Amino acid sequence: MLGELIQAAKARAQPDELVISSEDVSMVSPRDQYGSPDYWEARYQVDGAEGQVFEWLSDWAYLAPSLAPVLTSVGAHDDLSRVLHVGAGNSTLGIDLWKAGFGRGGVVNTDISETVCSQMGQRFRDAIFVRDDALDMQLARSLTALPP
């Protein structure tokens, strides 16, 4: 949608100018920007280190009755088990999983935003937050190299 708005603005513009009106910008929903790493950096910088946590899907209290038996059946309660929480943002789900006894070998929370990884790492000092791109997953491919 943003690309279409830019094209429309170009069509209205004089040869050497590009004007995108406030009406154009108001038509772009945040959802259209979710694929942009810059959007997430800006969002978490505005939210700040003490910003409210946000659960995209649901919190652990809601998920536990359904998810805990599945995690247990695949060995996520084992001493050396690891959990990878991709796109963690400012969610506490990974921390809640660890507190519930899952990922005893480590819960790694990843996000595209260096800002939110730093903020959450400061808030939860015993947790691991690492910048990683969910579309590339360099960290996930190298998890065997991380010590338990």
Side-chain angles (χ1 to χ4, degrees), residues 35-91:
S36 167
D38 293 335
Y39 168 80
W40 294 108
E41 277 301 318
R43 177 179 175 151
Y44 292 124
Q45 287 171 8
V46 169
D47 287 353
E50 296 302 318
Q52 186 175 4
V53 297
F54 185 79
E55 304 298 341
W56 284 93
L57 181 58
S58 193
D59 62 15
W60 176 244
Y62 180 82
L63 294 172
S66 300
L67 194 54
V70 174
L71 291 171
T72 300
S73 74
V74 297
H77 250 270
D78 297 348
D79 287 340
L80 297 178
S81 67
R82 294 182 178 164
V83 173
L84 177 63
H85 183 199
V86 177
N90 57 2
S91 164

Side-chain angles (χ1 to χ4, degrees), residues 124-142:
F124 302 98
R125 299 238 182 241
D126 292 336
I128 300 169
F129 284 87
V130 181
R131 188 204 172 281
D132 197 26
D133 185 341
L135 298 177
D136 183 31
M137 301 294 291
Q138 285 183 345
L139 177 70
R141 291 194 307 266
S142 67

